[in-house]
Amino acid sequence: MPTPTVRTPFTDWLHDHALPLSHLDPAAPLDDLEPLRDLLDGVRVVAVGEHSHFIDEFAAMRRRLLRFLVERCGFTVLVFEYGFSEAIPLDAWAQGRGTDDDLSAHLASSVPIGLAEPLRFIRRHNRTAATPVRFAGIDIPAAGGSLLPALTPVADYLRRVDPETLPTVQSAITIATSFAGDSAALAAPAWARLASSEQDALTALLARLLIRFRSLKPLYLFRADQHSYDTALRCLEAACHGDYTFRAMAALFAGEGLTADTSARDLYMAESLLWHLNRLEPTARVVLIAHNAHIQKTPISFDGHLTGLPMGQHLDRALGDTYFALGLTSVAGHTAEMRRDEEASFGFSVHDTPLEPPLPGSIEAAFADTGVGLAVADLRQARAEQLSGPDHIRMQNIYQRTPVIDAFDGILSTPTSAIADLETT
């Protein structure tokens, strides 16, 4: 039996203010997105989310939005929930280096979160663009699965500026190699199986390296340039945050985690984005693509327990109104439930899971009650009118309780969602 429509001041507002969209097809004309131009006036960073990875409709809509923001609004940087260090060669590829086929090799060990097609679009766009679009990553390496992509460039840098310290980083690399995986789902349990002496030795080695990097900065700058120092330091900081995340994830899996302890990863992502902004032209505008749980501006809580302080909370404080968090969700269909499985690729299996009818009081229920279909709503208007909005939003196949009109500046809702073919994502 269909869930009965419940009219509230917010659903009435949503019915009158939601902007209907015509297409999900990334190649479709972009005119239906034109109202977003005024909505995003003055915004420097647009974060585009999704309530689950591996969803066809979200991937398609993000590609359409990227086209619109680049081709019609002058956005010049694509930032992804992807390793800071691993993104450096991908930016070179997006600028035209190598061949079109090289992308597959770059992404071979990456969790398939829909990065390939946006990168191909940028490479095609840059062939004729007056202002090329850059690509950047902001995450700890390998989705929290390995320290090696961060430590390898640190070792290369030290080989040039401080060879005396090479044994320290090489010792860290030796330990990191013993448990490296392609995601945190693989690495955290492997890290937990290390002897505590090795776990502690790795943390101590990274701490010594970080303090030496900062203490010897004048010497390092004398021996090499500022950009290479800044980049190597950011890679080292990725390793330190990654190491902390291994401990936090292992404790979480064991049911012993500290409150919001996995927030170290989100802090690193927020600081990485600000790192890039500080080095871009003042006129640069950024499209940031990440999960809803990373871009939202309010803390993450389940069953009344604080579980995380997201990247978006840090960015909102740093950037104010120039940061716009656009959450993507769906009213019905299917979602991707990820279950830990060390025998599966990336340490988890993806299960095609039917969505239950929207929870009363959720943003999905509000969209269902209005019947607007594929549409986007500017929640800043609802905030300005001091409306009492929905207090739940989907996250995979469950709901997170949060004041939605404070957590996001906009919501784009699709009537249905379906699991992507991960072989082609």
Side-chain angles (χ1 to χ4, degrees):
M1 178 180 297
T3 303
T5 297
V6 179
R7 305 302 298 187
T8 67
F10 179 81
T11 54
D12 288 339
W13 176 90
L14 185 63
H15 181 273
D16 294 339
H17 290 83
L19 301 170
L21 302 178
S22 303
H23 301 283
L24 278 170
D25 181 0
L30 300 171
D31 291 346
D32 60 317
L33 296 176
E34 274 298 325
L36 295 180
R37 188 191 297 272
D38 291 338
L39 186 151
L40 298 175
D41 184 41
V43 170
R44 192 177 187 200
V45 177
V46 176
V48 183
E50 56 186 358
H51 74 52
S52 176
H53 294 314
F54 320 126
I55 300 296
D56 266 333
E57 288 78 3
F58 297 158
M61 196 68 234
R62 294 191 309 185
R63 288 165 59 193
R64 281 202 82 217
L65 288 167
L66 177 62
R67 272 188 61 212
F68 174 77
L69 293 170
V70 167
E71 294 177 2
R72 299 201 179 184
C73 299
F75 280 71
T76 54
V77 185
L78 171 62
V79 173
F80 235 87
E81 178 188 336
Y82 188 78
F84 175 91
S85 52
E86 298 104 303
I88 294 172
L90 287 179
D91 179 50
W93 183 86
Q95 305 310 309
R97 185 176 299 176
T99 69
D100 290 354
D101 293 336
D102 290 343
L103 182 60
S104 297
H106 285 303
L107 298 179
S109 61
S110 302
V111 177
I113 56 173
L115 177 55
E117 287 308 316
L119 277 171
R120 292 189 181 102
F121 162 73
I122 289 176
R123 184 174 168 96
R124 291 193 302 269
H125 173 84
N126 285 347
R127 286 171 181 156
T128 58
T131 303
V133 175
R134 303 296 305 270
F135 175 74
I138 55 172
D139 206 351
I140 59 178
S146 174
L147 304 186
L148 300 180
L151 289 178
T152 300
V154 171
D156 292 341
Y157 177 77
L158 290 174
R159 197 170 284 112
R160 291 189 292 127
V161 302
D162 188 10
E164 289 179 276
T165 309
L166 265 178
T168 304
V169 72
Q170 288 168 343
S171 295
I173 287 172
T174 297
I175 299 173
T177 301
S178 68
F179 64 90
D182 292 329
S183 78
L186 284 174
W191 177 92
R193 290 190 287 267
L194 292 177
S196 59
S197 58
E198 285 193 291
Q199 296 170 353
D200 294 342
L202 177 59
T203 299
L205 288 165
L206 294 174
R208 291 191 65 194
L209 284 166
L210 184 61
I211 292 172
R212 184 169 174 83
F213 251 74
R214 291 172 174 166
S215 303
L216 271 62
K217 179 177 179 179
L219 176 62
Y220 285 9
L221 293 181
F222 176 77
R223 293 176 174 176
D225 62 278
Q226 180 78 52
H227 179 72
S228 62
Y229 172 83
D230 290 344
T231 303
L233 177 60
R234 196 70 198 138
C235 290
L236 179 55
E237 289 167 341
C240 293
H241 281 255
D243 176 64
Y244 191 98
T245 301
F246 293 137
R247 291 181 181 271
M249 291 295 293
L252 181 67
F253 291 160
E256 303 168 352
L258 299 175
T259 299
D261 209 24
T262 58
S263 302
R265 179 185 174 196
D266 276 85
L267 174 63
Y268 181 80
M269 289 197 287
E271 291 180 341
S272 293
L273 180 64
L274 297 174
W275 187 96
H276 287 298
L277 285 177
N278 288 336
R279 288 157 179 80
L280 292 167
E281 294 294 326
T283 56
R285 303 180 76 188
V286 173
V287 183
L288 166 61
I289 294 182
H291 195 285
N292 282 353
H294 293 310
I295 71 167
Q296 76 176 59
K297 305 193 299 185
T298 54
I300 306 290
S301 296
F302 290 100
D303 299 323
H305 299 289
L306 177 66
T307 60
L309 304 180
M311 166 178 62
Q313 186 173 9
H314 299 291
L315 295 179
D316 180 47
R317 291 182 176 184
L319 302 175
D321 291 341
T322 65
Y323 174 70
F324 189 99
L326 178 64
L328 268 59
T329 192
S330 59
V331 170
H334 291 240
T335 193
E337 181 185 354
M338 293 180 286
R339 299 176 188 167
R340 289 179 55 211
D341 180 358
E342 288 191 62
E343 300 302 317
S345 298
F346 306 110
F348 57 83
S349 55
V350 176
H351 294 260
D352 191 334
T353 305
L355 292 171
E356 297 291 334
L359 182 73
S362 67
I363 187 66
E364 292 80 12
F367 271 95
D369 292 343
T370 62
V372 295
L374 178 65
V376 63
D378 180 1
L379 298 183
R380 296 175 304 180
Q381 296 181 39
R383 283 204 298 270
E385 296 178 27
Q386 299 185 330
L387 288 176
S388 177
D391 59 5
H392 284 82
I393 187 169
R394 287 195 198 278
M395 186 181 293
Q396 276 84 264
N397 64 328
I398 59 176
Y399 276 90
Q400 176 207 165
R401 186 183 182 99
T402 195
V404 176
I405 64 174
D406 295 325
F408 298 94
D409 299 298
I411 293 288
L412 193 157
S413 177
T414 68
T416 189
S417 56
I419 302 299
D421 179 358
L422 297 188
E423 296 299 321
T424 60
T425 300

